[in-house]
């Protein structure tokens, strides 16, 4: 009798654990962005998306987390518009995920750094209203292709006002980033009442963090106007991934 009771007490927690595991959600995340999303070593070795996935898996909230990195150096919102090759690559990654109907599909977008440039990247400088329109076109195409998906738009992160490499950014570009943040706010508010197209505010905090930690979390790069800060280093990639993961946690559960 005593042995049977011991076995029962052992079995009950085991059964409860098995039910909990079955209830956990699987999530698939496609990250869309430029060289900052691509990371220190694109695509899977060292990147914010990879670290975001690891952070989420470590929370023991989800049964499985899979990520696809679609960050492309130098790209703007125009490069990711429907019909462009970059959007086709996003779809190819998402199609593989979407086949699993038991998993939630989330798109995490951070674009704007190259849009804000004075010259160089495709379409730069992109006017704030056009930037919002481009993000809307990308999101709407994703909603149409993947009913039930969620789209999250993150604020672009800070860069130094002397940033100048093969493209020109400088203070003018940084001021445009501030306008882009307002455009993202407007776009998210537009979708707030639409239950069929679930567009969410992503991370807003990384901008200020990187502004305050430029010398420790960015790679110093040499330009015509001295050392500038544009791309996170490996530590910065980990930090940015954590910011994104925390924003994903808010919308995924």
């Amino acid at each position: 009798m005593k042995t049977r009771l011991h076995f029962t007490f052992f079995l009950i927690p085991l059964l409860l654990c098995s039910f909990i595991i079955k209830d956990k959600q699987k999530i698939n995340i496609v990250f869309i962005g430029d060289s900052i999303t691509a990371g220190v070593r694109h695509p899977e070795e060292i990147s914010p998306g990879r670290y975001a996935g690891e952070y989420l898996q470590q929370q023991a909230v989800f049964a499985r987390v899979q990520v696809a990195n679609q960050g492309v150096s130098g790209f703007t919102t125009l490069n990711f518009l429907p019909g462009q090759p970059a959007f086709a690559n996003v779809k190819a990654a998402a199609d593989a995920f979407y086949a699993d109907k038991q998993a939630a599909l989330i798109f995490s977008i951070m674009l704007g750094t190259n849009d804000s440039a004075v010259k160089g990247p495709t379409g730069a400088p992109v006017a704030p209203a056009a930037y919002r329109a481009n993000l809307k076109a990308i999101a709407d195409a994703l909603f149409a292709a993947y009913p039930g998906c969620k789209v999250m738009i993150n604020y672009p992160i800070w860069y130094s006002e002397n940033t100048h490499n093969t493209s020109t950014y400088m203070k003018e570009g940084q001021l445009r980033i501030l306008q882009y943040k307002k455009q993202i706010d407007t776009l998210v508010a537009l979708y707030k009442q639409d239950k069929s197209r679930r567009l969410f505010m992503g991370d807003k905090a990384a901008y200020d963090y990187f502004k305050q930690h430029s010398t420790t979390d960015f790679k110093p790069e040499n330009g015509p106007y001295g050392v500038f800060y544009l791309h996170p280093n490996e530590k910065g990639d980990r930090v940015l991934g954590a910011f994104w993961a925390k924003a994903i946690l808010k919308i995924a559960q």
Side-chain angles (χ1 to χ4, degrees):
M1 182 67 177
K2 188 175 181 181
T3 303
R4 187 176 297 173
L5 283 172
H6 278 214
F7 178 76
T8 302
F9 287 129
F10 172 78
L11 184 62
I12 290 173
L14 188 64
L15 289 171
L16 288 173
C17 286
S18 68
F19 285 127
I20 292 171
I21 291 171
K22 286 180 182 178
D23 287 341
K24 285 184 179 178
Q25 185 182 25
K26 295 185 292 184
I27 60 170
N28 296 324
I29 311 162
V30 180
F31 292 95
I32 300 172
D34 48 39
S35 58
I36 295 170
T37 296
V40 172
R41 286 204 294 272
H42 177 69
E44 304 302 340
E45 289 185 47
I46 299 175
S47 67
R50 174 198 162 182
Y51 292 130
E54 290 180 357
Y55 182 100
L56 291 167
Q57 196 71 71
Q58 290 166 3
Q59 305 312 300
V61 174
F62 303 105
R64 190 196 67 208
V65 180
Q66 294 187 126
V67 303
N69 186 345
Q70 292 298 310
V72 184
S73 179
F75 274 21
T76 66
T77 53
L78 281 83
N79 294 112
F80 281 99
L81 286 173
Q84 296 299 315
F87 186 81
N89 291 337
V90 168
K91 279 193 89 278
D95 285 347
F97 284 158
Y98 199 59
D100 183 359
K101 301 302 181 185
Q102 302 304 311
L105 178 59
I106 298 172
F107 295 92
S108 175
I109 302 173
M110 193 183 82
L111 288 164
T113 297
N114 293 315
D115 296 66
S116 73
V118 177
K119 62 179 179 179
T122 302
V126 178
Y131 171 77
R132 184 182 76 237
N134 292 343
L135 287 176
K136 184 178 187 301
I138 295 166
D140 284 346
L142 294 174
F143 290 134
Y146 308 102
C149 76
K150 297 178 181 179
V151 177
M152 181 180 86
I153 301 180
N154 305 288
Y155 277 179
I157 63 173
W158 175 90
Y159 59 77
S160 61
E161 294 179 355
N162 66 332
T163 297
H164 191 306
N165 46 30
T166 55
S167 299
T168 306
Y169 297 85
M170 308 301 285
K171 185 174 182 177
E172 179 184 332
Q174 183 53 250
L175 291 174
R176 216 170 347 261
I177 288 286
L178 299 179
Q179 296 179 62
Y180 288 172
K181 290 163 69 173
K182 295 178 182 178
Q183 296 299 324
I184 293 172
D185 292 343
T186 299
L187 187 61
V188 171
L190 178 68
Y191 283 84
K192 203 163 189 179
Q193 304 305 319
D194 191 339
K195 302 302 180 184
S196 64
R197 296 178 175 233
R198 293 177 287 179
L199 185 140
F200 298 90
M201 177 62 70
D203 170 70
K204 300 172 70 172
Y207 179 95
D208 288 333
Y209 173 88
F210 283 102
K211 185 176 181 180
Q212 296 165 13
H213 297 83
S214 59
T215 58
T216 59
D217 290 52
F218 277 99
K219 296 181 292 183
E221 301 178 64
N222 293 312
Y225 302 95
V227 174
F228 65 87
Y229 299 99
L230 174 65
H231 298 101
N233 57 23
E234 183 176 356
K235 177 178 181 291
D237 276 355
R238 287 183 180 275
V239 170
L240 184 56
F243 276 118
W244 289 353
K246 289 171 185 176
I248 289 168
L249 273 172
K250 292 178 181 178
I251 71 169
Q253 299 181 72

